[in-house]
């Protein structure tokens, strides 16, 4: 029998989809209590071994499993308060039931810095050096860098075995909605366990409906419409766009939407050198090879066009974007668009002092109306097939090898990716959808399935600036200087090429990539 976990998901405004992925915010931000949301079911803790993963032996040695879960970390307040309108309690209950099934494993949630990825990375670096790092951790949105440092344990062998909470004939990797969520890194190995995926896109644009209506602007559906709208907004005296900033540089989240239509159109055959028929068949080193072989080179007009299209967008940003906190301008209704993530949706919904209507629209895709270099892709209804997860967890190699806690870590990750556990954990936060087959998504995302979004080819090529942490830092610094007109095109493209070349060299060396078949 299955028990029920009674839970209240406090939704602070009634949502309506304005465009594909567009959630219109209500001006009065009324609270609604919805006990019928997906994910209210409590994972089974009683039943047969096939259902609960099997009982552990009584002579099992005690293990203290420490984890960092960032946005899923339970809040101090367990019921809604003014300070915590949407408390998080799911992980507390999940751990409680897991420990009942596995009494020799104690799971402790370690609170880590959450204000920025840089702060979190510094914290983790210190913990790794002192031998006090958690067993399981969120590896940021650049886990490749963690793998290069030797911080992550490969999970390929575990993925090829069953998750005991599913059919014993089904490999763990086959229990997810699609294999691509468990990305192959440059060396061809997998290191992450996907917990949450985007309902539409993980990064998005929040926008002020009142400003758009006052200026008679449509919600942008193409890259050109986005740039034109931002230009018109700026000319009208409003702050057009508040970009997301990391370490005084742009996050460059839009590069995929800008680069894929151009680079895939021109270079995909040379990029896919093995002739892979699906992303799962690819080796993982294709982009590294493309840089190494000069397929993606900064002196090619198509590559330069990608950067120029990005710069046209960036030049609509307000002065001081890199060093000043501009979020207050958004909250005060003075900014028309704010770049952000769907993980911030809960924060937006909980703003009871808002005086303007707001919504969300996806990052538009570059098309032929912007440049003849770009291909126009067909659009389809339904949740898009995500090529990466929105939130991952990973096993911290130095810690589990030191403690001998690998089996316990895998067992807990098996549990977190059990259908009803994954559903309950993810759906407590209105940010994304579960990654496991059979887990339901929140009704708030239903309308996304009725909207049309551009469908990229399964195997595509975009401007990957995250393949190496040092390269990313160098690229970000040069982009910041260039888009603020403090560097000319010639110097910029030369510096970006140097950053790519140095990054690729380091990746080949650190990952031991065999280049003999390139």
């Amino acid at each position: 029998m299955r028990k029920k976990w009674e839970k209240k998901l406090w939704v602070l405004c009634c949502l309506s989809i304005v465009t594909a992925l567009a959630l219109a915010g209500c001006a009065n931000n009324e609270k609604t209590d919805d006990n019928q949301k997906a994910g209210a079911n409590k994972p089974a803790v009683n039943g047969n071994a096939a259902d609960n993963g099997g009982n552990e032996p009584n002579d099992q040695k005690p293990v203290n499993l420490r984890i960092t879960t960032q946005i899923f970390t339970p809040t101090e307040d367990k019921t809604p308060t003014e300070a915590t309108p949407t408390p998080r309690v799911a992980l507390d209950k999940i751990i409680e039931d897991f420990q009942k099934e596995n009494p020799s494993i104690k799971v402790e949630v370690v609170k880590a810095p959450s204000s920025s990825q840089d702060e979190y990375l510094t914290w983790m670096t210190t913990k790794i050096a002192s031998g006090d790092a958690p067993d399981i951790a969120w590896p940021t949105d650049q886990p490749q860098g963690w793998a290069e440092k030797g911080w992550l344990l490969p999970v390929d062998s575990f993925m090829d075995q069953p998750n005991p909470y599913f059919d014993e004939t089904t490999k763990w990797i086959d229990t997810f909605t699609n294999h691509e969520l468990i990305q192959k890194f440059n060396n061809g190995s997998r290191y992450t366990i996907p917990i949450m995926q985007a309902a539409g896109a993980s990064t998005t644009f929040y926008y002020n409906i009142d400003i758009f209506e006052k200026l008679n602007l449509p919600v942008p559906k193409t890259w050109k419409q986005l740039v034109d709208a931002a230009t018109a907004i700026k000319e009208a005296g409003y702050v057009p766009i508040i970009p997301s900033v990391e370490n005084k540089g742009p996050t460059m989240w839009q590069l995929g939407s800008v680069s894929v239509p151009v680079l895939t159109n021109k270079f995909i055959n040379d990029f896919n050198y093995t002739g892979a028929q699906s992303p799962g068949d690819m080796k993982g080193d294709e982009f590294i090879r493309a840089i190494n072989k000069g397929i993606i080179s900064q002196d090619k007009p198509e590559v330069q066009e990608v950067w120029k299209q990005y710069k046209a967008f960036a030049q609509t940003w307000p002065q001081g974007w890199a060093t000043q906190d501009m979020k207050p301008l958004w909250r005060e209704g003075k900014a028309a668009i704010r770049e952000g993530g769907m993980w911030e949706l809960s924060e937006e919904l909980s703003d009871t002092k808002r005086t303007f209507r707001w919504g969300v629209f996806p990052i538009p895709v570059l098309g032929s109306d912007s440049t003849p270099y770009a291909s126009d892709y067909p659009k389809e209804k339904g949740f898009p097939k995500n090529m990466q997860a929105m939130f991952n967890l990973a096993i911290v190699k130095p810690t589990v090898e030191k403690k001998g806690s690998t089996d316990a870590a895998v067992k807990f990750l098996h549990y977190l990716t059990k259908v009803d556990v994954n559903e309950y954990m993810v759906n407590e936060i209105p940010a994304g959808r579960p990654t496991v087959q059979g887990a339901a998504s929140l009704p708030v995302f239903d309308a996304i399935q009725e909207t049309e979004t551009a469908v990229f080819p399964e195997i595509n090529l975009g401007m990957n600036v995250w393949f190496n942490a040092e390269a990313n830092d160098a690229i970000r610094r040069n982009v910041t200087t260039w888009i603020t007109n403090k560097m000319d095109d010639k110097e910029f493209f030369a510096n970006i090429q140097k950053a790519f070349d140095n990054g690729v060299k380091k990746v080949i060396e650190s990952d031991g990539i065999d280049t003999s078949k390139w």
Side-chain angles (χ1 to χ4, degrees):
M1 292 179 62
R2 290 183 178 271
K3 295 181 179 180
K4 298 288 186 181
W5 267 346
E6 297 296 332
K7 106 179 164 71
K8 292 184 178 181
L9 180 61
W10 292 85
V11 181
L12 300 177
C13 90
C14 299
L15 296 178
S16 63
I17 302 297
V18 179
T19 64
L21 234 175
L23 309 168
C26 308
N28 59 3
N29 292 284
E30 291 183 2
K31 285 187 179 181
T32 61
D33 184 2
D34 190 349
N35 287 320
Q36 303 304 316
K37 294 291 186 185
N41 292 339
K42 179 179 181 179
V45 295
N46 297 318
N48 57 37
D51 185 56
N52 65 18
N55 296 322
E56 64 168 18
N58 293 328
D59 61 352
Q60 196 87 337
K61 293 183 178 180
V63 177
N64 183 31
L65 205 61
R66 302 170 69 240
I67 64 174
T68 61
T69 51
Q70 300 308 91
I71 63 172
F72 293 104
T73 301
T75 55
E76 295 293 336
D77 295 328
K78 305 305 178 184
T79 57
T81 64
E82 184 176 353
T84 312
T86 52
R88 296 188 297 273
V89 300
L91 194 56
D92 282 336
K93 298 180 183 296
I94 289 168
I95 290 173
E96 179 184 349
D97 275 10
F98 175 79
Q99 290 179 158
K100 288 178 182 178
E101 286 188 18
N102 303 275
S104 67
I105 303 175
K106 179 183 177 182
V107 181
E108 175 190 354
V109 178
V110 179
K111 291 187 177 180
S114 58
S115 60
S116 73
Q117 291 198 51
D118 286 337
E119 184 181 8
Y120 175 66
L121 182 60
T122 299
W123 177 85
M124 183 60 71
T125 301
T126 302
K127 292 293 183 180
I128 291 284
S130 65
D132 191 36
D135 303 76
I136 298 172
W138 171 60
T140 74
D141 60 9
Q142 297 184 42
Q144 179 73 49
W146 287 41
E148 290 174 7
K149 296 174 187 289
W151 291 1
L152 303 184
L153 187 74
V155 296
D156 302 85
S157 61
F158 307 117
M159 283 291 166
D160 286 337
Q161 299 299 317
N163 178 341
Y165 293 100
F166 283 80
D167 185 326
E168 62 181 11
T169 63
T170 304
K171 294 180 180 180
W172 192 10
I173 195 170
D174 292 330
T175 64
F176 297 96
T177 57
N178 53 292
H179 286 198
E180 291 80 13
L181 293 176
I182 310 98
Q183 286 187 307
K184 286 184 180 178
F185 285 22
N186 296 326
N187 62 2
S189 295
R190 294 179 170 95
Y191 293 86
T192 56
I193 309 299
I195 301 298
M196 178 170 64
Q197 62 180 313
S202 58
T203 58
T204 191
F205 286 122
Y206 294 88
Y207 78 107
N208 186 316
I209 295 174
D210 293 346
I211 292 178
F212 268 72
E213 288 187 353
K214 184 176 181 179
L215 299 180
N216 197 29
L217 294 172
V219 175
K221 294 183 179 180
T222 68
W223 187 257
K224 184 178 186 301
Q225 290 177 4
L226 172 65
V227 176
D228 289 348
T231 301
I233 292 165
K234 187 174 183 178
E235 291 173 352
Y238 294 98
V239 174
I241 297 177
I242 297 175
S244 285
V245 177
E246 187 75 30
N247 195 23
K248 297 182 179 180
T251 56
M252 297 181 284
W253 289 337
Q254 301 84 12
L255 274 182
S257 295
V258 178
S259 62
V260 169
V262 174
L263 303 187
T264 302
N265 183 36
K266 181 67 176 179
F267 305 116
I268 193 61
N269 291 331
D270 291 334
F271 168 75
N272 183 17
Y273 73 102
T274 64
Q277 298 299 305
S278 70
D281 295 332
M282 299 181 78
K283 289 177 59 64
D285 63 359
E286 284 83 359
F287 189 79
I288 301 301
R289 173 184 173 273
I291 299 298
N292 180 266
K293 292 293 186 180
I295 296 168
I296 302 300
S297 176
Q298 302 302 316
D299 62 0
K300 294 187 175 182
E302 296 87 356
V303 176
Q304 292 185 1
E305 181 68 10
V306 169
W307 287 114
K308 289 176 181 178
Q309 289 290 336
Y310 180 79
K311 183 177 182 179
F313 159 71
Q315 290 199 312
T316 66
W317 299 350
Q319 191 171 13
W321 62 265
T323 57
Q324 300 176 26
D325 179 12
M326 298 212 165
K327 274 192 177 181
L329 295 176
W330 164 255
R331 291 191 289 268
E332 294 165 7
K334 298 177 181 178
I337 304 172
R338 181 179 78 80
E339 179 189 1
M342 285 298 287
W343 57 86
E344 298 174 289
L345 180 60
S346 178
E347 176 186 340
E348 292 293 339
L349 293 173
S350 65
D351 185 355
T352 58
K353 298 179 180 180
R354 191 188 311 275
T355 59
F356 60 91
R357 294 173 300 150
W358 62 281
V360 180
F361 67 87
I363 298 172
V365 174
L366 187 75
S368 60
D369 58 343
S370 291
T371 172
Y373 288 119
S375 293
D376 294 314
Y377 292 115
K379 295 183 178 181
E380 293 182 0
K381 291 184 178 181
F383 286 134
K385 182 179 180 180
N386 290 312
M387 305 309 289
Q388 61 184 11
M390 185 175 172
F391 182 89
N392 292 294
L393 288 174
I395 299 174
V396 180
K397 183 179 179 181
T399 300
V400 297
E401 289 185 345
K402 176 183 177 181
K403 294 169 55 178
S405 56
T406 300
D407 289 346
V410 172
K411 180 174 284 190
F412 186 62
L413 289 169
H414 278 155
Y415 193 80
L416 291 183
T417 52
K418 186 171 178 270
V419 174
D420 42 8
V421 175
N422 184 233
E423 180 179 302
Y424 176 60
M425 180 176 174
V426 171
N427 288 345
E428 185 181 42
I429 303 173
R433 59 191 179 100
T435 55
V436 177
Q437 292 186 42
S441 301
L442 288 171
V444 72
F445 298 125
D446 286 351
I448 293 175
Q449 299 188 71
E450 297 302 317
T451 58
E452 292 186 337
T453 54
V455 180
F456 289 160
E458 272 206 326
I459 296 179
N460 58 67
L461 170 59
M463 188 78 78
N464 181 359
V465 297
W466 301 276
F467 68 92
N468 173 263
E470 291 183 29
N472 180 260
D473 287 341
I475 293 167
R476 186 185 300 168
R477 288 194 303 270
N478 280 281
V479 168
T480 301
T481 304
W482 182 58
I483 63 179
T484 52
N485 297 319
K486 298 176 182 177
M487 178 186 293
D488 63 25
D489 290 357
K490 182 178 180 180
E491 183 181 1
F492 171 72
F493 291 123
N495 289 351
I496 296 299
Q497 186 64 51
K498 182 179 179 181
F500 270 104
D501 290 341
N502 289 341
V504 164
K505 182 179 179 181
K506 289 180 181 296
V507 169
I508 291 173
E509 292 175 352
S510 64
D511 290 0
I513 295 176
D514 180 8
T515 64
S516 62
K517 296 181 180 180
W518 284 2

